Amino acid sequence: MKRIVCFTVAFTCHIFLAVQAQNWYKGNLHTHSLWSDGDDYPEMIMDWYKASGYQFVGLSDHNVIQDIEKWVNVPHQPDRRRTFDRYLRTFGPDWVTYRKGPNDSLKVRLKKLDEYRSYFEEPGKFLIIKSEEVSTGYQGKPIHMNVTNVQNLIRPQPGNSVAEVMQNNIDLVMAQRRQTHQPMFPHINHPNFYYAIKAEDLMKLRYERFFEVFNGHHLVNNYGDSTHEGTESMWDKINLHFLQQGRPLLYGLGTDDSHNYYFFGPSFSNSGRAWVMVNAPELSPRALIESMEAGRFYATSGVTLKQLPQVGKSLVVRVKPESNVTYRIQFFGVRKGKQQAELLREVTDTTATYTLPDDVWFARAKIISSKSKYNPFMPGDVETAWTQPVAQTHVPLMLANVVPLPNAHAHNDYEQSRPLWDALDNGFTSVEADVHLINDTLYVAHNRPAFPNPASTLENLYLKPLAERIQQNKGQVMAGYDGPFYLMIDVKTDADSTYRALEKLLQRYQSLLATGKRSKNQKGDVLIVLSGNRSVSAATKMKSRYVLLDGRAMDLGKGYAPAVMPLISDAYDNQLSWRGKGDMPAGEFQKLKQLVERVHREGKKLRLWNSPEDPVVWAKLREAGVDFISTDQQELLRDFLLQRAQ
């Protein structure tokens, strides 16, 4: 027993030291300049943030990216002329481009991001993240969302409700993320700005992981009023809903939403009112975004923490104290059977821990200091911090009357709003996950993760949930479906070592597999299919066949049995050039049918990846006999296949 305890302590210390060794980066993701409705030049703003100890900033002007030619008029008002004079004195006439005209008119050319970022950026010290505030509305209600690390301008989209407007714009961000393969995320800004967005609106959103629990703009009503709930109450209500649906938790940001840089006070939107502290392995857009999506950050208006608060199902709060300042650490959460959050525990100290009991859905911490906030959002504000919540794992209830779709394949399923659950709710019978082997563990991600995130392992994202759903569903992945369910694993790291790690992992899940020791009550098969960097020799020689192979067109005719290689996959562009415009050339259709016939003669199924996301193309693929239609747009393909079946 003593040896076990010692090992546990040593292991815990190792985790603690690893967390401590990570870098903390201070950043603001919501900032404005003269590119939209801010009152200063981008370089002056960046100069302030860098001098004030920030490591990254997203300059997020309304509906514009700083990559176009833009000149601004400088009005005659003394404050606007003084702003220009400061800019000219700071950066000099060789840098500042301006024109004087008749009647003392003055125009200034704004520098593009690519022109001034090298002036400020330093590896590991300061980073400017390309950003945009997508600003639109619905029936007079302002609806704004930021896009962090946007690559191309997002043009605001309308909709028929507050939620639909938000969703339409979020969908554009996610489409750009898939197309560019660049990390980026949207976040909902100041929901209580003119009380435009309610918690019920945010509950309807897919792909939304972040919102501003605290925004420093003077008109955003963070605390609500007698008839409107504050953002913290909204946050808890949304997360209870998300958790019960099997969605990832919504994380809370702190931003200053600065517009005003030379006038200060409660009627101005000033810098430094709130920010985020991100625990990331390096200062880069990818590392910061991956860390934030993993919840490795906290929001603050001044309180500093010593370490990452989340440790498994526990919140461990350790404040970096200031002299003559006291701290209250409050833990809020929702108990099972309840709908409202409550104060679960409060400690007046600089250190406190809260571990989730079985009867609490989730918990978050709020740290309130006795130190008055300089230039506060509201008079009387004190410096505060908000951790991200930790939650119980939860298998959502199955939807009734889901129609299984034997031809539906979820391409890069892990990028969906609810990995696996969205696919199952839409009737998909095949999902795909890219995996990377890191320190003997398989992690799911398109690109190699910046750090190992326990929530993103193949086991936690797919194998455990599948096991729980099969148990919940009396032996079936999907009610009323006895056919195979394909979990395709696209290997991105070394073939042989990744295969060995996968085989070792699958030994713990033999009861799921068609080739393993199945439960007597299990009616459907889970087939693990190896794709990408396939270890063909190892997979064909193994004694216990936990893994099958995803073949290529060149593998046809080589004698691989369907029991070893049940699928043949190829890139759409390798076979066809038609993109859905006009009629499909007869020669291409004939070529496709011949490939289908070759695959089917060997008792295998055919999948083409990266086909156009177009029902016109899908119709021709199915007409030719292609077995799996691969898509990122699950609802569109679901509706197409259901309509075709009818």
Side-chain angles (χ1 to χ4, degrees):
M1 180 61 70
K2 290 182 179 180
R3 292 180 62 188
I4 295 175
V5 170
C6 291
F7 174 79
T8 303
V9 171
F11 183 69
T12 304
C13 291
H14 174 74
I15 293 176
F16 177 77
L17 291 173
V19 170
Q20 289 286 74
Q22 296 293 319
N23 303 305
W24 283 106
Y25 297 110
K26 178 180 180 179
N28 183 44
L29 296 175
H30 191 170
T31 313
H32 295 273
S33 73
L34 283 167
W35 276 88
S36 60
D37 56 350
D39 64 8
D40 207 352
Y41 301 87
E43 302 98 301
M44 296 294 289
I45 297 167
M46 292 301 104
D47 194 49
W48 183 90
Y49 278 106
K50 188 172 183 179
S52 299
Y54 288 72
Q55 283 80 42
F56 66 94
V57 177
L59 197 51
S60 53
D61 283 297
H62 297 278
N63 299 333
V64 67
I65 292 179
Q66 300 166 23
D67 59 2
I68 60 175
E69 195 74 9
K70 184 178 177 67
W71 291 74
V72 294
N73 291 311
V74 182
H76 287 93
Q77 288 100 317
D79 60 290
R80 298 300 295 272
R81 289 300 172 102
R82 284 195 298 270
T83 297
F84 170 74
D85 290 341
R86 291 189 187 100
Y87 177 44
L88 185 61
R89 285 198 310 270
T90 303
F91 289 91
D94 292 338
W95 176 269
V96 178
T97 304
Y98 63 98
R99 296 175 187 157
K100 289 188 175 181
N103 301 317
D104 195 31
S105 64
L106 178 62
K107 285 187 173 182
V108 180
R109 177 184 174 274
L110 297 181
K111 296 289 186 182
K112 300 176 184 179
L113 174 59
D114 287 344
E115 292 179 281
Y116 70 79
R117 73 186 318 163
S118 61
Y119 191 100
F120 297 98
E121 289 191 330
E122 294 183 67
K125 294 182 178 180
F126 193 76
L127 173 71
I128 303 174
I129 302 178
K130 192 174 182 180
S131 302
E132 176 191 357
E133 182 169 11
V134 180
S135 305
T136 180
Y138 175 73
Q139 295 184 346
K141 297 177 179 179
I143 300 172
H144 297 180
M145 64 183 67
N146 267 36
V147 188
T148 296
N149 203 39
V150 66
Q151 301 299 301
N152 305 304
L153 183 69
I154 302 288
R155 300 189 183 278
Q157 299 298 302
N160 295 316
S161 68
V162 170
E164 187 175 299
V165 169
M166 290 189 288
Q167 190 63 62
N168 288 344
N169 288 281
I170 290 168
D171 289 345
L172 288 182
V173 178
M174 302 313 294
Q176 185 178 132
R177 175 171 170 158
R178 287 192 294 266
Q179 291 164 2
T180 62
H181 300 298
Q182 292 297 314
M184 65 183 73
F185 65 79
H187 83 250
I188 303 301
N189 294 341
H190 43 58
N192 277 348
F193 184 44
Y194 292 99
Y195 294 109
I197 301 172
K198 295 181 171 60
E200 289 73 18
D201 299 318
L202 291 167
M203 288 178 188
K204 299 173 184 177
L205 299 182
R206 303 182 307 275
Y207 301 109
E208 188 50 69
R209 299 290 314 282
F210 304 93
F211 92 128
E212 292 176 344
V213 68
F214 188 93
N215 176 299
H217 194 288
H218 57 291
L219 297 176
V220 302
N221 302 299
N222 291 315
Y223 309 140
D225 60 19
S226 60
T227 58
H228 300 91
E229 60 186 344
T231 52
E232 286 190 54
S233 176
M234 294 171 67
W235 191 15
D236 294 328
K237 186 184 292 185
I238 294 161
N239 270 332
L240 176 61
H241 180 74
F242 276 15
L243 188 60
Q244 291 174 337
Q245 284 198 328
R247 295 187 183 279
L249 293 174
L250 185 71
Y251 292 142
L253 304 174
T255 69
D256 58 34
D257 193 1
S258 57
H259 290 69
N260 309 119
Y261 302 94
Y262 293 105
F263 296 93
F264 301 90
S267 60
F268 297 99
S269 179
N270 299 139
S271 302
R273 284 184 173 151
W275 55 91
V276 292
M277 296 293 296
V278 182
N279 185 262
E282 64 180 21
L283 185 62
S284 69
R286 181 173 299 281
L288 290 170
I289 289 172
E290 286 187 13
S291 297
M292 293 186 70
E293 289 180 334
R296 297 172 66 90
F297 74 101
Y298 63 93
T300 181
S301 63
V303 173
T304 301
L305 303 184
K306 289 183 178 181
Q307 69 173 78
L308 187 69
Q310 296 92 328
V311 180
K313 289 187 177 181
S314 296
L315 285 170
V316 181
V317 177
R318 301 182 190 279
V319 179
K320 185 178 181 180
E322 294 187 40
S323 305
N324 302 315
V325 177
T326 59
Y327 300 87
R328 286 185 294 139
I329 302 172
Q330 299 177 328
F331 296 97
F332 292 91
V334 179
R335 296 186 187 277
K336 292 182 179 179
K338 302 289 183 68
Q339 296 298 315
Q340 296 293 327
E342 60 184 89
L343 179 62
L344 301 169
R345 185 185 179 203
E346 181 170 343
V347 176
T348 302
D349 202 344
T350 59
T351 302
T353 299
Y354 184 84
T355 300
L356 279 180
D358 292 339
D359 67 334
V360 173
W361 280 114
F362 67 88
R364 61 177 175 85
K366 181 179 181 179
I367 303 93
I368 305 169
S369 77
S370 61
K371 182 180 178 181
S372 296
K373 174 66 178 173
Y374 172 76
N375 188 21
F377 164 73
M378 286 188 66
D381 279 359
V382 293
E383 292 185 352
T384 304
W386 300 262
T387 75
Q388 305 314 316
V390 295
Q392 305 281 2
T393 56
H394 179 66
V395 177
L397 295 175
M398 297 171 290
L399 290 185
N401 303 318
V402 172
V403 178
L405 302 172
N407 305 115
H409 173 76
H411 174 253
N412 289 351
D413 177 75
Y414 52 90
E415 293 186 341
Q416 294 296 322
S417 176
R418 300 187 309 154
L420 182 62
W421 305 130
D422 281 345
L424 292 178
D425 283 354
N426 284 309
F428 279 53
T429 57
S430 179
V431 299
E432 176 184 348
D434 295 350
V435 300
H436 301 257
L437 179 64
I438 302 175
N439 299 330
D440 297 325
T441 301
L442 297 170
Y443 294 90
V444 177
H446 186 75
N447 296 301
R448 184 179 176 86
F451 66 92
N453 177 9
S456 296
T457 64
L458 178 66
E459 183 172 26
N460 287 332
L461 270 183
Y462 287 96
L463 296 176
K464 280 184 180 178
L466 273 173
E468 291 171 357
R469 173 53 62 90
I470 288 171
Q471 183 179 16
Q472 182 188 75
N473 206 28
K474 298 179 180 179
Q476 290 180 294
V477 176
M478 213 175 297
Y481 178 65
D482 293 341
F485 181 86
Y486 295 86
L487 173 56
M488 185 170 291
I489 296 173
D490 192 338
V491 176
K492 298 298 184 182
T493 42
D494 175 71
D496 290 336
S497 58
T498 305
Y499 170 78
R500 288 193 296 270
L502 177 61
E503 186 179 30
K504 182 179 179 181
L505 172 63
L506 291 177
Q507 289 175 4
R508 302 202 295 271
Y509 291 90
Q510 294 182 47
S511 62
L512 297 182
L513 310 179
T515 51
K517 297 176 181 178
R518 304 175 61 213
S519 165
K520 293 180 180 179
N521 296 324
Q522 187 169 326
K523 301 172 184 177
D525 297 337
V526 175
L527 300 179
I528 308 295
V529 181
L530 201 64
S531 189
N533 292 336
R534 307 165 300 158
S535 182
V536 176
S537 60
T540 54
K541 294 176 182 177
M542 60 185 174
K543 296 179 181 178
S544 299
R545 195 170 302 285
Y546 300 134
V547 178
L548 307 177
L549 287 170
D550 179 29
R552 300 291 176 262
M554 66 181 68
D555 293 322
L556 291 169
K558 292 185 177 179
Y560 293 114
V564 175
M565 186 181 288
L567 302 179
I568 297 293
S569 300
D570 201 358
Y572 179 93
D573 291 341
N574 287 347
Q575 299 293 333
L576 305 168
S577 60
W578 179 65
R579 308 296 297 177
K581 302 301 181 184
D583 294 334
M584 186 178 190
E588 289 207 0
F589 186 72
Q590 187 61 30
K591 177 184 177 184
L592 180 60
K593 284 195 69 175
Q594 290 173 353
L595 176 61
V596 170
E597 290 168 0
R598 290 175 61 203
V599 171
H600 288 179
R601 274 199 301 269
E602 295 193 5
K604 299 177 172 67
K605 295 183 178 183
L606 177 63
R607 175 182 71 104
L608 297 180
W609 72 78
N610 285 347
S611 64
E613 298 274 15
D614 187 339
V616 173
V617 174
W618 295 341
K620 297 304 289 186
L621 294 179
R622 287 296 300 132
E623 183 183 343
V626 174
D627 299 281
F628 282 112
I629 306 298
S630 184
T631 187
D632 293 315
Q633 300 187 48
Q634 294 184 5
E635 292 181 0
L636 183 65
L637 179 59
R638 178 201 64 194
D639 293 344
F640 164 79
L641 291 172
L642 289 176
Q643 184 178 17
R644 187 177 177 85
Q646 292 172 359

